[in-house]
Amino acid sequence: MSKIISTCRDIVKNFNSGEAEVKALQGITLDVYENELLMLVGPSGCGKTTFVSVLSGLLSFDSGVCKLMGEDISTMSDERLTAFRGKNIGFVFQAFNLLPSLSAIENVALPLTVEKRKRVETLTLSKEMLEAVGLDGKENVKPSGLSGGEQQRVAIARALVHNPKFIICDEPTSSLDHKSGQIVMELLTEIIKEKGASMIVVTHDNRIYKYADRIVHMEDGRIVKVAS
Amino acid sequence: MFRIAIEMLLYDKTKYIGLLIGVAFTAFLVTFAMGYFAGFMTRGFALVSENPSAKVWVMDPSVSSAEATINMSDSALDIVRGVKGVNYAAPMYLGNMTARYANGDFQTFQAIGVDDATLSGAPKPANLLRIPESAIVDSGGTEGKLQTPIYKKDMWSYDGSHLNAPTRKLRYGDTMLINSKRVVVAGVSHTIPRFPPRPLLYTTASNFKRLVPGEKRYITFIMVRPTKNITPNKLAKRIAKQTGLKAITSDEFKKETVLWYMINSEDVGDMVNMVILAMLVGFGVTGVMLYMFTYENIKQYAVLKAMGASTKQLSDMIFTQVFISAIIGSGIGVGIAAILAHMVSSATFPFRMMWFAPLIGFLGVIIVSMTAAFISLRPIKKMEPGIVFKL
């Protein structure tokens, strides 16, 4: 049995209050294991993105316990949580969220820049990472000069450049055509296995289910099925 | 992170230029308004400025400006001349005189009577005042007030006033009547324009007395130059102590005059209110633009926060962006104000770029920008970095 890297117990998250209250998460309990690629699937509005936001410490929750690498994120100060997240979690977003003013290599370097690593080291690691995702020679191109698939690869490089133990991908293939989506998933699984990290992928795209170790189905803020 | 902040700032050229224009506009507005205000005030103490050799001014103790005055007795001059350290002391008479022009029209002048012997206080060429019954006239910042008929038939006519007769500017040899006494225009001077603008009439003290006879007290100011061994400040204190009169240096007199205008002049009050309003509008525009700039980039900050950027790092980025915009924008604004100042100054506008005008413009913008940056931090601190998942 692999080691548990993340454990959540009875997570409850409501938005608003009173009559307009939305019960986004209604007692989610889930463990994520080391080296696992877990897919979170379900209809729109079922709470997938809310759950990964909570899990990564980007969103506070109302009750329950959530631990990442043994640390209870609900008890951390904002500053500590931010630093912890920066060091241990990588993100790949549906809309890529690259900074348009920065070149590809500068975007990839962001997590290292935030960590205040030395510039030479930052550039070397970022260049290596760009090469690993097949974007050698595109270092100085800005996001507006890259295709959607290339932008997502830059985002993947950015998510992995600082060797995080946990990767969260929110709809990584939904903005891409089928071929680019397959390339991105193959790239992600390959690098994840190589680096020994865990990954949660939120998706609607059933064509990429084949890459998952486990598939967690959610509906109305609850986990309704876990399939291997 | 600073480099990232700068690249974010410069990325959207349209936004960046808009931001710079907003900041530059505010800096320009503040600097220009201050220069305009300083220009008016400079005209307010023109009487002091055009007599640079008078280092100390003596006046009635109740007088606190060059604008509102009351006279001293003639004996004050001798008393002041008797104080040790006084190199020379010359009287100055001030009063209003209404002159009748040759076509029957009239005009009120501020009359300035100067010492007959030295002609201290008279504009160049002062020697013309030695012509009997003469005066030098000056527009004092007014337009079209020094007029006399072109044709002799319209001058001093027996058939009454010729008010609609064509006129020209007064010149050497023209005559006027003051208190039914003849005054010959010996020249037209171009001294510092006054605030409020008014025509000026320079004449000798003796002619002043001839035109306005019967006054008990004539001397409004005594202009004093100290001997080499005493500073104006010390001499002023000594004169005040020994004579009971008010004696202040010319710099102090200018300051007191400005203060007097600020307190007593409704025109200046209105002007200050307009300047303050203009500044507030400019500050408002700058503040809102800087805030909007940060707010529009909030998702980028959320991405950085998701990647571990601390609130302090994000704050530093915002302050860097705001500071750079403020420095460049206010530099442009102050520069434009300086160029325009040069142009309007040579066009005889009441404008004077004093050292504090660009400084206040610059500091004002920096303070407003930093305040806007502080306000911009609020949404950054309050943001849920979870917004990174939203499209």
Side-chain angles (χ1 to χ4, degrees):
Chain A
M1 188 76 178
S2 296
K3 191 178 154 192
I4 291 175
I5 195 159
S6 156
T7 181
C8 291
R9 295 281 175 271
D10 303 317
I11 300 293
V12 172
K13 174 68 185 176
N14 298 324
F15 291 108
N16 304 322
S17 57
E19 286 183 13
E21 187 177 65
V22 175
K23 293 178 177 177
L25 300 177
Q26 300 184 59
I28 298 280
T29 294
L30 182 69
D31 292 331
V32 181
Y33 300 94
E34 210 169 43
N35 296 334
E36 182 183 34
L37 196 162
L38 186 145
M39 280 194 191
L40 213 51
V41 302
S44 292
C46 69
K48 306 183 296 288
T49 301
T50 304
F51 178 62
V52 291
S53 298
V54 164
L55 185 62
S56 56
L58 292 174
L59 189 66
S60 58
F61 50 97
D62 299 330
S63 65
V65 175
C66 190
K67 288 184 180 177
L68 259 179
M69 284 152 263
E71 299 238 28
D72 187 347
I73 61 170
S74 62
T75 58
M76 287 184 192
S77 66
D78 183 56
E79 285 300 298
R80 184 154 172 251
L81 180 59
T82 303
F84 179 81
R85 186 172 56 232
K87 194 173 175 214
N88 296 300
I89 304 176
F91 292 95
V92 179
F93 305 105
Q94 180 180 359
F96 321 135
N97 285 346
L98 300 177
L99 269 58
S101 52
L102 305 183
S103 64
I105 195 165
E106 287 170 332
N107 265 292
V108 173
L110 275 177
L112 305 173
T113 310
V114 167
E115 267 187 50
K116 297 178 183 169
R117 297 250 197 121
K118 285 182 180 167
R119 188 162 168 76
V120 177
E121 182 194 3
T122 298
L123 289 176
T124 308
L125 289 173
S126 304
K127 196 169 184 321
E128 283 172 8
M129 206 63 232
L130 270 177
E131 282 171 13
V133 298
L135 287 176
D136 193 15
K138 300 247 178 181
E139 291 88 350
N140 297 316
V141 182
K142 295 215 165 143
S144 57
L146 298 170
S147 68
E150 287 173 330
Q151 287 188 52
Q152 195 60 299
R153 279 192 271 165
V154 173
I156 290 166
R158 182 178 67 182
L160 300 171
V161 72
H162 55 308
N163 281 324
K165 294 187 175 69
F166 204 56
I167 319 288
I168 290 175
C169 304
D170 183 41
E171 307 276 9
T173 59
S174 67
S175 300
L176 307 175
D177 58 56
H178 176 63
K179 193 180 166 195
S180 301
Q182 296 297 316
I183 292 170
V184 161
M185 282 313 297
E186 277 166 20
L187 187 64
L188 271 172
T189 46
E190 187 186 317
I191 295 174
I192 293 307
K193 298 296 174 197
E194 186 187 314
K195 292 192 178 269
S198 305
M199 178 161 70
I200 293 186
V201 177
V202 173
T203 186
H204 278 103
D205 187 354
N206 56 16
R207 293 171 301 188
I208 64 167
Y209 287 0
K210 64 184 175 192
Y211 296 100
D213 294 321
R214 262 193 311 160
I215 299 175
V216 174
H217 292 261
M218 284 183 72
E219 270 180 35
D220 297 329
R222 290 190 176 91
I223 292 174
V224 292
K225 186 178 153 192
V226 178
S228 297
Chain B
M1 295 302 276
F2 291 116
R3 204 169 47 79
I4 294 170
I6 293 166
E7 289 194 27
M8 274 172 77
L9 177 69
L10 303 180
Y11 176 67
D12 189 333
K13 298 279 183 292
T14 312
K15 267 190 213 168
Y16 178 60
I17 290 169
L19 191 63
L20 282 190
I21 289 172
V23 175
F25 174 70
T26 304
F28 166 77
L29 208 60
V30 175
T31 307
F32 202 76
M34 290 302 299
Y36 211 60
F37 180 74
F40 272 115
M41 289 301 97
T42 302
R43 292 184 172 195
F45 53 72
L47 188 74
V48 186
S49 303
E50 67 192 23
N51 288 290
S53 61
K55 304 296 182 194
V56 176
W57 289 70
V58 182
M59 62 204 82
D60 183 274
S62 63
V63 173
S64 55
S65 77
E67 179 66 16
T69 58
I70 190 166
N71 296 341
M72 303 174 282
S73 69
D74 285 5
S75 62
L77 181 62
D78 295 328
I79 295 168
V80 170
R81 281 176 173 161
V83 175
K84 193 179 173 191
V86 173
N87 186 0
Y88 83 73
M92 177 176 276
Y93 300 178
L94 286 185
N96 290 327
M97 293 183 186
T98 303
R100 177 77 72 182
Y101 288 146
N103 61 349
D105 203 356
F106 71 93
Q107 177 61 52
T108 303
F109 286 81
Q110 182 180 43
I112 301 161
V114 300
D115 183 38
D116 283 60
T118 61
L119 297 177
S120 292
K124 288 178 181 175
N127 274 340
L128 291 173
L129 290 180
R130 303 224 183 268
I131 298 167
E133 302 175 347
S134 69
I136 294 173
V137 293
D138 191 295
S139 70
T142 62
E143 289 288 336
K145 304 271 188 192
L146 308 178
Q147 300 287 312
T148 198
I150 295 174
Y151 305 112
K152 282 206 168 176
K153 66 181 176 65
D154 298 317
M155 293 181 182
W156 311 118
S157 179
Y158 290 106
D159 59 353
S161 300
H162 285 209
L163 297 175
N164 295 321
T167 58
R168 60 165 170 76
K169 284 183 180 173
L170 281 174
R171 63 185 180 214
Y172 176 81
D174 288 330
T175 54
M176 305 183 290
L177 289 178
I178 294 176
N179 273 338
S180 300
K181 297 183 178 78
R182 182 174 172 270
V183 175
V184 179
V185 175
V188 179
S189 64
H190 301 282
T191 57
I192 303 169
R194 291 330 199 234
F195 174 76
R198 77 203 85 166
L200 308 171
L201 185 142
Y202 293 91
T203 189
T204 56
S206 59
N207 199 31
F208 191 103
K209 283 181 175 175
R210 180 182 73 89
L211 298 170
V212 192
E215 296 280 328
K216 197 171 179 187
R217 294 160 179 256
Y218 280 100
I219 297 178
T220 311
F221 297 116
I222 299 170
M223 299 181 292
V224 176
R225 189 163 70 188
T227 52
K228 283 181 184 173
N229 56 354
I230 189 165
T231 63
N233 200 27
K234 279 186 181 169
L235 181 60
K237 282 179 183 160
R238 187 182 291 172
I239 292 170
K241 191 178 176 187
Q242 289 186 17
T243 65
L245 296 167
K246 180 173 178 176
I248 51 178
T249 63
S250 52
D251 284 343
E252 288 170 337
F253 196 23
K254 288 175 184 175
K255 283 178 194 163
E256 284 199 11
T257 300
V258 170
L259 191 65
W260 182 90
Y261 275 115
M262 290 177 79
I263 294 169
N264 294 286
S265 168
E266 287 181 6
D267 292 341
V268 171
D270 291 344
M271 204 161 42
V272 169
N273 287 340
M274 283 183 67
V275 168
I276 290 171
L277 193 67
M279 285 180 181
L280 288 177
V281 170
F283 288 160
V285 169
T286 306
V288 168
M289 287 186 79
L290 287 168
Y291 179 81
M292 290 302 291
F293 188 82
T294 305
Y295 197 78
E296 283 170 8
N297 288 327
I298 197 158
K299 197 168 180 187
Q300 294 187 40
Y301 291 113
V303 170
L304 289 169
K305 186 155 190 184
M307 286 175 191
S310 66
T311 306
K312 187 184 175 302
Q313 282 176 308
L314 299 181
S315 305
D316 289 347
M317 286 178 71
I318 289 169
F319 275 106
T320 302
Q321 291 173 343
V322 168
F323 189 71
I324 288 171
S325 305
I327 292 280
I328 296 173
S330 52
I332 293 169
V334 169
I336 293 171
I339 293 166
L340 219 64
H342 182 70
M343 288 163 68
V344 297
S345 295
S346 53
T348 68
F349 269 83
F351 191 93
R352 187 177 176 199
M353 183 72 96
M354 295 185 75
W355 63 269
F356 58 81
L359 190 70
I360 289 175
F362 194 74
L363 287 179
V365 167
I366 297 285
I367 290 167
V368 167
S369 303
M370 290 299 130
T371 308
F374 265 113
I375 296 168
S376 304
L377 288 181
R378 192 179 149 77
I380 299 293
K381 284 179 180 170
K382 292 271 174 190
M383 77 181 172
E384 286 272 15
I387 62 170
V388 289
F389 288 117
K390 290 179 184 165
L391 283 175

